[in-house]
Amino acid sequence: MKFKFLMGAVCAAALATGAAAEGVKVGMITTLSGGGAGLGIDVRDGFMLAVKQSGRDDIEVVIEDDQRKPEVAVQLADKMIQSEKVDVMTGIIWSNLAMAVVPAAVAQGKFYLSPNAGPSALAGKGCNPNYFNVAWQNDNLHEAAGAYANDAGFKNSFILAPNYPAGQDALTGYKRLYGGDLAGEIYTQLGQTDYAAEIAQIRASGADSVFFFLPGGMGISFLKQYADSGVDLPVVGPAFSFDQGILQAVGAAALGVKNTSQWSKDLDNAANVAFVESFQAEYGRLPSLYASQGFDTALLLISAMEKADVSDADAFRAALKAADFASTRGDFAFASNHHPIQNIYVREVIQEGDVFTNKVVATGLENHSNAYVDECGM
Amino acid sequence: MSAVLFIEQVLNGLQLGVMLFLMAAGLTLIFGVMGLINLAHGSLYMVGAFAAAAVAGATGSFLLALMASLAAAAAAGAVVEVLVIRRLYARDHLDQVLATFALILIFSEGTRWIFGSFPLFLDIPAVLSGPVTLPGGIAYPKYRLAIILAGLAVAGGLYLLITRTRIGIQIRAGEADREMIAALGVDISKLYTLVFALGAALAGFAGALVGAIQSVQVGMGEPVLILAFVVIVIGGIGSIKGAFVGALLVGMTDTLGRFLLPGLFGLMMDPSAATTVGSALASMLIYVLMALVLLVRPTGLYGTA
């Protein structure tokens, strides 16, 4: 399956006058089928919306579906680098896929702009001048959840996450700022859908709160089962399980849950108001966290293209590093390891008419960077 | 570890077991009677869940949703049997795997086309929501208890259907010798369509029951399909009784393994390493179980060579 979006003609007229720059060819590998498709589709739609709004006809985007499989992602990356000859790559949702693709791509001199996955390995020792993460380092939202747990007075949390790189980063992140004890710590299987055994352990553990990181369908299953189990400890988690795409499927079970996010649809800045409105007008649904990240990724790319030509790698890299664009999340800058410095907010799940959504209730961490800056040599 | 927690986990294992039985029963029946490996069985599970979510969304009735799941999955099964599967009985298993794998892709993309990529909402009916306190002070979700009862009722019904009715006799005869029952005047192609639709309906029913506590989304059937295959291999391919015993074994092993192993390793190493090693081993446990069963009984517990 292959979609090709040629944004206008890369026209002979431009070549004839010799005035326009060459343009940029972007390779987007993301998850468009299977269980995690909602995330990839939002990233793609957010990205393409920004490209369309820029009105530029010199951005060509090649989009491919990785089916959430590392081996497929690696093949697609090879194809994009060798036969499509893309300049910039982006799109990967899952950390295990990012670990399979990103190191090889940046080693071959391609720029990689991550709209989602931010594994600790790529922020610390494995950082690379050509790798930029526009979303977050994986630990960030969990660190904010840990900080929020302290503020809320939680003393004995039960924590769980799937057993894969981002899950391990999640629990590490939560424990970094959380000051209380742990009533229990569980790694579940990636893709697990039944949490009865874990919920029984939570019930028996004497915990006073639950922190979990279960993105996509896993979070839906957990929350529905948790709400039905009669365990009514307060729940806190990163935004991934309380995202616009899945809140409707969870329903009232999620109401009142606190979650941490670098973005929310009610953030009051001009860029975000315009983004939420235009995304709804274009696609007929509310944007999610992932859509905002896709949108910001494209904005970053466009801001760099305005300053430098992609063929001049050093200038283009410096232009990316400047992050000179109006992010939907407000202030945004890159730390020295090319991961964001940004505010992380605490949101609460609310109901607006028929629609379940989030509203910001507090700022969890201000101008938060990440714990791996010193490990990275840049 | 308290006795209450242990009993709750046993109930959880039982619930996973009967749910797997609903999937495995159809799979093993189809293999036993028609000699067909149906990889698309997980898609019928998904069809049931989506039909239930759509009907529940439109009418608000869970009972109607359950009936819709049975009807939709049975209809999808019958259509698929007539259009595709019927041409595969005489072919070898590799062709069957290839064709039914294609059906998975068609069902998944078709469902995405109709319902979109985002998960659907299917809620537990109000009467069954919340926990109930069992004797001994065990708080257990009513809905899971209902799944256990519904699964056991279906198992009982299936047993009666196969041992006590005319159709059951034909199904058993079909397993034993399909040329002979055709010679005796049974319309074998009608019987095959019926068995396939029955298996599909069971899968759809499981999908609807589970959809209410999990997420109804494209691709939800494949992880369950793998477990269902493990179940029928352990139980002995073609044996309903084997599927029942195998499903309970797998359900118990998986649930208790996930719960006990990290604690067990915790006795010998520090907590976070124990969690990692324990969870990794727990996810392999049912395959270890399968290997052990096959070592002792190569045809499965109730399989015939």
Side-chain angles (χ1 to χ4, degrees):
Chain A
M1 209 173 13
K2 179 168 171 181
F3 308 93
K4 230 176 189 178
F5 291 83
L6 282 164
M7 301 309 293
V10 184
C11 43
L15 285 173
T17 59
E22 269 177 54
V24 167
K25 190 164 183 181
V26 179
M28 179 183 286
I29 299 173
T30 195
T31 307
L32 301 172
S33 65
L39 288 68
I41 287 170
D42 271 0
V43 163
R44 178 194 69 191
D45 288 352
F47 191 95
M48 295 316 292
L49 180 66
V51 172
K52 185 179 168 193
Q53 286 177 356
S54 75
R56 294 184 77 111
D57 57 7
D58 56 352
I59 304 176
E60 184 187 342
V61 187
V62 183
I63 301 175
E64 295 274 8
D65 175 18
D66 60 31
Q67 303 163 36
R68 199 177 173 171
K69 293 177 183 147
E71 68 277 13
V72 175
V74 168
Q75 281 174 11
L76 290 173
D78 286 346
K79 190 182 114 190
M80 284 186 171
I81 293 169
Q82 283 157 22
S83 61
E84 298 275 1
K85 308 229 180 296
V86 299
D87 307 296
V88 176
M89 292 179 65
T90 184
I92 294 177
I93 302 294
W94 310 96
S95 290
N96 50 340
L97 274 66
M99 289 309 296
V101 167
V102 173
V106 292
Q108 294 175 68
K110 303 298 170 193
F111 287 99
Y112 186 87
L113 310 179
S114 177
N116 200 61
S120 51
L122 293 179
K125 292 200 178 66
C127 66
N128 187 290
N130 282 356
Y131 170 78
F132 290 84
N133 188 306
V134 196
W136 19 255
Q137 198 282 314
N138 278 354
D139 301 8
N140 286 165
L141 302 195
H142 315 297
E143 288 165 346
Y148 169 77
N150 294 336
D151 293 345
F154 298 155
K155 298 270 178 270
N156 198 18
S157 285
F158 194 103
I159 62 177
L160 69 158
N163 200 0
Y164 82 121
Q168 289 139 14
D169 285 354
L171 297 192
T172 311
Y174 184 77
K175 288 188 279 190
R176 187 168 293 131
L177 295 183
Y178 169 65
D181 297 324
L182 291 180
E185 178 176 359
I186 293 184
Y187 284 114
T188 61
Q189 290 171 41
L190 190 59
Q192 184 174 327
T193 51
D194 197 293
Y195 293 92
E198 288 74 15
I199 292 169
Q201 283 168 272
I202 293 172
R203 193 199 305 273
S205 68
D208 68 353
S209 56
V210 177
F211 165 79
F212 75 93
F213 163 64
L214 296 166
M218 294 182 274
I220 301 177
S221 301
F222 177 80
L223 270 176
K224 286 168 84 171
Q225 293 164 26
Y226 183 79
D228 191 46
S229 70
V231 182
D232 56 358
L233 304 172
V235 171
V236 60
F240 313 115
S241 304
F242 307 94
D243 176 57
Q244 202 60 48
I246 67 175
L247 273 183
Q248 315 319 317
V250 180
L255 276 181
V257 171
K258 302 288 195 299
N259 63 96
T260 51
S261 175
Q262 86 287 3
W263 177 85
S264 182
K265 86 175 195 338
D266 60 343
L267 283 184
D268 194 13
N269 64 64
N272 193 42
V273 172
F275 162 66
V276 172
E277 203 180 285
S278 58
F279 190 92
Q280 262 186 294
E282 181 80 20
Y283 302 108
R285 63 177 195 269
L286 284 172
S288 67
L289 172 80
Y290 309 106
S292 79
Q293 291 163 189
F295 189 79
D296 277 356
T297 305
L299 291 185
L300 171 70
L301 175 72
I302 293 161
S303 75
M305 287 173 66
E306 275 162 9
K307 289 185 180 171
D309 198 283
V310 74
S311 55
D312 181 356
D314 288 335
F316 197 75
R317 189 179 304 117
L320 284 170
K321 180 81 201 300
D324 191 9
F325 67 100
S327 166
T328 54
R329 61 198 103 164
D331 291 342
F332 180 99
F334 279 119
S336 65
N337 64 348
H338 294 178
H339 283 66
I341 299 173
Q342 59 192 348
N343 286 352
I344 298 175
Y345 302 94
V346 180
R347 314 188 298 183
E348 182 178 336
V349 179
I350 55 160
Q351 190 168 9
E352 279 179 357
D354 298 341
V355 181
F356 294 95
T357 186
N358 285 287
K359 78 165 197 252
V360 171
V361 292
T363 305
L365 293 168
E366 273 185 47
N367 292 325
H368 186 60
S369 180
N370 62 82
Y372 302 96
V373 170
D374 295 337
E375 281 179 34
C376 167
M378 293 194 297
Chain B
M1 177 183 54
S2 68
V4 172
L5 176 59
F6 188 77
I7 294 171
E8 190 177 347
Q9 297 292 27
V10 170
L11 282 173
N12 287 333
L14 193 63
Q15 183 256 311
L16 178 61
V18 299
M19 201 278 300
L20 283 176
F21 170 70
L22 291 179
M23 278 295 281
L27 205 57
T28 206
L29 204 60
I30 290 166
F31 188 86
V33 177
M34 309 169 209
L36 177 95
I37 296 179
N38 180 24
L39 288 187
H41 207 65
S43 300
L44 298 165
Y45 171 90
M46 177 181 74
V47 166
F50 271 88
V55 169
T59 66
S61 160
F62 191 71
L63 207 62
L64 280 180
L66 277 185
M67 294 198 291
S69 73
L70 283 167
V79 168
V80 162
E81 201 275 342
V82 171
L83 290 181
V84 182
I85 306 288
R86 191 165 280 188
R87 290 154 228 288
L88 298 171
Y89 295 133
R91 313 285 283 267
D92 73 337
H93 288 324
L94 202 59
D95 291 356
Q96 296 172 352
V97 165
L98 200 62
T100 53
F101 184 70
L103 282 175
I104 294 184
L105 301 179
I106 293 168
F107 269 110
S108 291
E109 290 312 307
T111 312
R112 187 193 315 288
W113 190 52
I114 299 171
F115 292 99
S117 297
F118 296 96
L120 293 192
F121 177 65
L122 175 62
D123 204 9
I124 298 170
V127 265
L128 292 176
S129 70
V132 63
T133 309
L134 300 176
I138 304 159
Y140 198 71
K142 279 185 217 161
Y143 187 77
R144 286 185 188 270
L145 217 53
I147 292 185
I148 297 178
L149 295 178
L152 291 177
V154 169
L158 211 53
Y159 173 76
L160 290 180
L161 178 80
I162 288 185
T163 55
R164 298 290 158 83
T165 65
R166 192 161 184 83
I167 295 207
I169 294 173
Q170 292 178 354
I171 290 174
R172 279 181 292 145
E175 281 182 52
D177 192 333
R178 69 189 79 166
E179 283 85 14
M180 186 56 88
I181 75 156
L184 289 175
V186 175
D187 184 346
I188 194 87
S189 71
K190 206 181 276 171
L191 179 70
Y192 280 7
T193 311
L194 190 76
V195 170
F196 200 88
L198 175 68
L202 288 177
F205 186 62
L209 282 180
V210 166
I213 49 171
Q214 297 183 359
S215 66
V216 178
Q217 61 181 355
V218 173
M220 65 188 283
E222 277 66 58
V224 189
L225 178 78
I226 295 171
L227 287 181
F229 268 113
V230 173
V231 165
I232 66 170
V233 168
I234 288 178
I237 293 174
S239 161
I240 297 266
K241 191 162 134 201
F244 187 72
V245 174
L248 292 186
L249 262 179
V250 167
M252 289 290 174
T253 310
D254 188 53
T255 306
L256 295 181
R258 270 194 282 151
F259 156 57
L260 294 174
L261 275 182
L264 201 64
F265 281 96
L267 301 175
M268 325 178 235
M269 47 179 89
D270 74 277
S272 75
T275 312
T276 319
V277 176
S279 340
L281 203 64
S283 59
M284 292 183 241
L285 209 57
I286 56 168
Y287 303 101
V288 175
L289 173 74
M290 178 169 79
L292 288 178
V293 167
L294 290 183
L295 211 60
V296 182
R297 293 187 66 98
T299 55
L301 293 176
Y302 294 93
T304 44

